[in-house]
Amino acid sequence: MKKVWFKSLTALVTIAMLSLFLAACSGGNSSQGSTGSSGNSGEEKVRLKVYAQHFDDDTSKPFDYAVEELKKEMPNVEIVLDPAVQDGYQKLKTYAATGNMPDIFETDWVTLQTFAKSKNVLLLDEFEETTAFKNKLNPGVEGRLIAPDGHIYAFPFTGIEFQILYYNKEIFEEAGIEVPIKTVDQLAEAAKKLKEKGYVPLSIFAKEKWIPTALYQGFVTREEAMGYGKLDEAGVTELPESFITAAHQLRTLQEAGLFDVNATNTNYDQASSLFYTGKAAMFVNGQWEIYSSQEKLGDKVDWMYWPAKDEETYEKTKYAVNGSPSPGGFAVSPSTKDPELTVKVASFLAQKAAEYKYAQLGSPIVSVKVDKEITAEIPPMMQRIADEILPNATDYAVALNNVSIKNVLDDNTQSMLIDGFSTEQFIKNLNSVLAKENK
């Protein structure tokens, strides 16, 4: 904080009188958030606590850029960052349970549904800012803003993101593995070769349940383009054949040694470190990992399409995208002291984060239209996505909205990565929840 020294008592008195005068002119508007003196503008400083992802370049730089832009647009607002923990939003749920919600929080659709029931998220439908945001949306990403129940709970900054398989080209060449890998059997064979060479075939941070669930959906989408959306349909009281096929494939890959024995106790930092230090040959994550992987591995890294049961299916379904347009982004707490202002700030942060991703990272996968030119040198892997996937995508998966089914799916896909958990158990557990929820 800039410190100003005053040379005379006269100056101190003058400043004090000026402060009193400005306070009187403010009309007593002091109900906004936690407050303090701005020191420069004469306006009351509004501090808003924001819970946001802020752990690597892809998460921290767009957020920091948005905050800097906010200082220009709303100099009376100060953002107090509460860095999100990579714990499946457990810390955020603890905040909700203890009545300590941040003014703005970044979260996903599953958590938003829980918070909607417990009234820990502000409904954004009727705010003017929401209408303005909706008018700026890129075509095809409405599902990122408007929930299946017709309400709006959060402002997204990304478009429809998806998961891909990364691989180290040098390690593949050393192990004599040809690319592209088109079938699950070829992937299982590659896993055996990589293990023989002393590598972890595929690194995965399966301590977070969402990533094994995303991995499983990659194989499901080779058989069922709707992905997990199929499990939401009324009358689907047993696991469809496409899901059973994918479950058997996951078991085949686990038995071939595709995953590290500690996969379900491995967090993101540990898993990504295995890949970036050349100890793991493959890594699974969203397309947002492109920037970090290109920076750390350069030309050694590339991504592959999800394998299928045979080459014919692979060619037919490789543009069915393993990603779905579920709502998420910056949401607002009902307990924030000035909802109008906080909603405006949440919307602004989302738009500016999108602006950074588009203009300075070269990502075309953003929620709103951006009127700035791309200044970034686009990583080759992102250019491949722009050239190959986005123009040719045949289907995007559909979001799974039933939280009960999602929870059972998360638990059981995680268990599929360890020894001793059978496909039959997986099917039995999923059938049990489907019979209850979809009857």
Side-chain angles (χ1 to χ4, degrees):
M1 177 181 292
K2 187 177 180 180
K3 184 179 287 184
V4 179
W5 295 93
F6 300 99
K7 293 183 179 178
S8 69
L9 179 61
T10 301
L12 281 169
V13 171
T14 301
I15 294 296
M17 291 179 65
L18 181 60
S19 298
L20 288 170
F21 173 75
L22 290 173
C25 291
S26 70
N29 183 20
S30 59
S31 62
Q32 301 172 350
S34 302
T35 60
S37 172
S38 66
N40 293 321
S41 66
E43 293 182 46
E44 191 172 28
K45 199 81 169 182
V46 180
R47 292 192 178 96
L48 296 177
K49 187 176 180 181
V50 180
Y51 184 84
Q53 302 284 338
H54 198 273
F55 59 89
D56 61 7
D57 285 356
D58 188 54
T59 54
S60 65
K61 287 186 175 179
F63 182 82
D64 291 344
Y65 171 79
V67 171
E68 288 302 312
E69 291 297 304
L70 183 72
K71 288 177 184 175
K72 302 172 191 172
E73 182 73 15
M74 302 181 209
N76 64 315
V77 176
E78 179 183 345
I79 298 299
V80 180
L81 172 65
D82 183 359
V85 179
Q86 297 175 65
D87 61 352
Y89 300 106
Q90 289 305 312
K91 181 179 177 181
L92 193 58
K93 291 170 185 172
T94 302
Y95 281 157
T98 56
N100 190 32
M101 289 295 283
D103 297 281
I104 297 170
F105 53 92
E106 181 187 346
T107 193
D108 63 0
W109 176 222
V110 173
T111 309
L112 285 171
Q113 289 179 82
T114 304
F115 285 0
K117 288 180 180 175
S118 60
K119 301 191 184 306
N120 278 298
V121 60
L122 185 68
L123 207 57
L124 305 177
D125 301 357
E126 304 300 327
F127 289 89
E128 289 184 11
E129 189 63 37
T130 304
T131 302
F133 192 97
K134 193 186 298 183
N135 291 336
K136 296 173 186 173
L137 273 181
N138 277 320
V141 301
E142 290 78 6
R144 293 282 289 134
L145 178 70
I146 304 170
D149 62 8
H151 293 303
I152 295 175
Y153 298 98
F155 296 114
F157 48 89
T158 64
I160 303 172
E161 299 188 293
F162 46 88
Q163 286 70 47
I164 51 181
L165 293 172
Y166 297 86
Y167 71 100
N168 185 314
K169 291 187 281 187
E170 282 192 354
I171 295 176
F172 267 46
E173 186 175 351
E174 178 193 338
I177 300 168
E178 294 185 5
V179 289
I181 290 177
K182 296 184 177 181
T183 70
V184 172
D185 288 342
Q186 291 170 2
L187 184 57
E189 191 61 31
K192 292 174 184 173
K193 288 182 178 178
L194 292 164
K195 279 201 75 175
E196 288 172 3
K197 290 285 185 180
Y199 294 105
V200 173
L202 186 144
S203 186
I204 181 170
F205 45 103
K207 191 172 184 178
E208 295 184 42
K209 293 181 180 179
W210 75 267
I211 190 68
T213 303
L215 174 86
Y216 174 54
Q217 182 168 252
F219 299 108
V220 169
T221 52
R222 302 310 84 176
E223 304 290 325
E224 172 53 70
M226 280 184 68
Y228 293 143
K230 184 73 178 177
L231 302 182
D232 255 346
E233 291 184 346
V236 178
T237 55
E238 291 187 349
L239 206 59
E241 193 59 37
S242 51
F243 287 74
I244 293 174
T245 298
H248 283 301
Q249 291 171 340
L250 202 55
R251 175 52 44 196
T252 297
L253 293 169
Q254 193 279 332
E255 291 174 349
L258 184 68
F259 313 108
D260 186 78
V261 291
N262 295 314
T264 56
N265 291 316
T266 302
N267 62 27
Y268 170 80
D269 291 336
Q270 295 163 328
S272 60
S273 176
L274 284 172
F275 187 55
Y276 294 143
T277 57
K279 294 175 182 173
M282 289 177 276
F283 186 52
V284 57
N285 203 358
Q287 95 293 324
W288 55 83
E289 189 72 27
I290 282 176
Y291 303 102
S292 294
S293 58
Q294 203 90 63
E295 177 187 343
K296 294 181 172 65
L297 293 175
D299 293 338
K300 295 179 184 177
V301 64
D302 205 346
W303 57 264
M304 67 176 83
Y305 293 97
W306 291 89
K309 61 187 175 191
D310 53 44
E311 294 197 20
E312 182 182 356
T313 306
Y314 171 86
E315 296 296 345
K316 191 188 304 180
T317 65
K318 71 180 189 178
Y319 295 120
V321 180
N322 180 17
S324 55
S326 58
F330 288 118
V332 174
S333 168
S335 61
T336 193
K337 292 185 178 177
D338 186 339
E340 289 284 349
L341 176 69
T342 309
V343 168
K344 189 174 181 181
V345 170
S347 170
F348 187 89
L349 291 176
Q351 292 179 56
K352 289 300 173 181
E355 182 176 289
Y356 184 91
K357 281 179 169 286
Y358 179 81
Q360 300 196 39
L361 294 179
S363 172
I365 306 170
V366 295
S367 59
V368 293
K369 299 179 183 73
V370 177
D371 59 5
K372 291 197 171 184
E373 296 291 327
I374 296 176
T375 59
E377 182 177 343
I378 302 173
M381 287 195 293
M382 181 59 78
Q383 191 64 56
R384 269 193 70 201
I385 284 178
D387 293 341
E388 294 179 31
I389 294 185
L390 299 182
N392 297 308
T394 53
D395 298 279
Y396 282 86
V398 177
L400 175 59
N401 297 307
N402 187 305
V403 175
S404 297
I405 298 173
K406 179 71 166 53
N407 288 340
V408 173
L409 186 64
D410 283 350
D411 289 342
N412 283 272
T413 50
Q414 185 189 48
S415 296
M416 286 288 279
L417 304 193
I418 60 176
D419 289 334
F421 190 82
S422 68
T423 308
E424 289 69 30
Q425 283 176 279
F426 180 88
I427 296 169
K428 178 182 177 183
N429 294 344
L430 264 297
N431 281 348
S432 177
V433 70
L434 290 171
K436 180 180 177 183
E437 297 295 323
N438 289 341
K439 63 182 178 183

